[in-house]
Amino acid sequence: MTADLARVRAVVVSWNSAGHVGRAVASVPPPARVVVVDNASTDGSADEAGRAGAGVLRRPENSGFGPACNAGAGSLEGFPAADALLFLNPDAALVEGEAALGALLRELDADPRLAAVAPALEGDGQEEFQLRRLPTLASLAREAFLVNRLLPRNRGFRRERYLDRDRRSPFDVEQPAAAALLVRREAFERVGGFDPAFAPAWFEDVDLCAKLLESGYRIRFVPAARASHVGGTTMRALPYDDYLPLYTRNLLRYLRRHARPATRAGARLVLAAGALLRLALLPLVRGDHARPEAARAYVRVLRGLLGLGFPSALLPGRG
């Protein structure tokens, strides 16, 4: 199995990920190679990755997750071509790396129609976070109208997140999180990789999975392989009033490409109603974010849904 691992290139995208990225790199067993694409970090992330043994591609600016992944997956001096690409978040790490990567690679090799395989993510909230069906109007409505908050184990949510499946055995899924995902290079290149239109982040992995499924490939969850994941480290570093408009913009962009017109129209109404509901509840309920910041976020979302652009400091000069 050791020789087989030479067919894998791990791609880690870092943006101010010091304290995490070294562990991610060290978890990938040789002879698999690791490239860390550093998006202009200012906290020493690139140096930490290099000390851990990765090849480091330093970007002069933060180009976003998808474009950085594409760069790491492309032709790089000193890196041989790889049959499979392991996309690994800087706050994720393979558990028992050789066994985990070997299990993923064996599953991928066993079925040419599999485009990607995902290990089981371990960590707080990962069981609910990792596996999802592709977005539907029903899933958007449950989130917008706070059903998932008030009834966190509701039947629709359980089905959407595959919580009704036995997690001890492999099964096909629609959209595993790209925090740890082994992708067949041929399939990745066939669908054009991550679409840079979703930069800097959010929904590029959902779009990739949708493109793979639409091309006739399948994606599988492989619990024999495990990876730890802290989760949310990037999002917690961002202002909510910048994050939420961008997230909503990219959700709509995803729906324009993969959903029917009726679903797209319904989604806009549902998202607008959800933003208005949250604005109305702000004086009464203590949420996850400071009230002024949350209010700005919901107003910016409403502005974008009205066709006036999604203002966000994460998109300078754009919206």
Side-chain angles (χ1 to χ4, degrees):
M1 178 52 66
T2 301
D4 286 338
L5 301 187
R7 299 161 45 206
V8 177
R9 180 191 299 178
V11 179
V12 181
V13 176
S14 175
W15 177 69
N16 293 332
S17 305
H20 294 287
V21 67
R23 180 170 172 264
V25 171
S27 77
V28 179
R33 299 287 301 277
V34 185
V35 58
V36 171
V37 185
D38 187 75
N39 272 332
S41 296
T42 58
D43 66 348
S45 296
D47 293 336
E48 180 181 323
R51 288 193 299 270
V56 180
L57 179 60
R58 297 174 186 256
R59 310 275 275 187
E61 59 185 7
N62 187 352
S63 60
F65 177 78
C69 282
N70 291 341
S75 298
L76 295 174
E77 184 177 353
F79 276 77
D83 296 336
L85 301 164
L86 175 66
F87 296 105
L88 189 67
N89 273 15
D91 61 352
L94 296 177
V95 176
E96 298 178 357
E98 186 171 346
L101 193 53
L104 293 174
L105 198 55
R106 285 193 298 273
E107 195 79 25
L108 198 65
D109 287 343
D111 188 342
R113 298 314 302 168
L114 281 178
V117 288
L121 292 184
E122 299 179 344
D124 187 30
Q126 295 304 303
E127 184 180 26
E128 294 183 352
F129 163 80
Q130 181 187 11
L131 305 180
R132 308 184 185 208
R133 299 181 189 274
L134 294 171
T136 65
L137 189 55
S139 66
L140 295 176
R142 282 194 301 273
E143 188 65 30
F145 298 130
L146 303 175
V147 175
N148 294 339
R149 285 288 186 102
L150 299 173
L151 300 169
R153 306 295 286 186
N154 69 80
R155 184 176 180 180
F157 182 79
R158 286 180 54 78
R159 182 181 182 278
E160 174 198 340
R161 302 297 174 92
Y162 294 95
L163 297 172
D164 56 353
R165 296 294 301 265
D166 182 357
R167 296 291 183 95
R168 295 169 296 181
S169 302
F171 57 87
D172 285 4
V173 297
E174 292 183 359
Q175 186 235 317
L181 188 67
L182 185 69
V183 183
R184 191 185 303 276
R185 173 184 283 279
E186 178 186 6
F188 184 76
E189 293 179 345
R190 178 179 175 183
V191 301
F194 288 104
D195 192 330
F198 292 92
W202 297 290
F203 284 94
E204 64 279 278
D205 56 341
V206 189
D207 174 71
L208 176 68
C209 289
K211 291 188 297 185
L212 290 171
L213 295 175
E214 290 165 1
S215 296
Y217 289 106
R218 299 183 358 256
I219 302 169
R220 181 166 296 164
F221 170 66
V222 184
R226 298 178 295 134
S228 63
H229 184 221
V230 177
T233 55
T234 297
M235 192 177 74
R236 285 193 292 269
L238 301 175
Y240 189 60
D241 50 353
D242 288 323
Y243 155 74
L244 188 63
L246 176 57
Y247 180 91
T248 306
R249 183 203 75 156
N250 282 359
L251 166 59
L252 294 176
R253 182 160 289 178
Y254 166 84
L255 292 173
R256 282 200 300 271
R257 298 181 178 189
H258 300 286
R260 296 178 179 179
T263 299
R264 298 199 299 267
R268 281 185 171 270
L269 292 174
V270 163
L271 293 170
L276 289 170
L277 173 62
R278 284 163 171 76
L279 277 172
L281 291 174
L282 271 181
L284 308 173
V285 179
R286 181 183 295 275
D288 299 329
H289 307 278
R291 287 188 175 97
E293 185 179 354
R296 287 193 299 272
Y298 303 140
V299 168
R300 288 178 178 181
V301 165
L302 289 168
R303 172 180 167 174
L305 292 169
L306 290 172
L308 301 175
F310 288 96
S312 170
L314 303 174
L315 291 168
R318 294 184 293 160

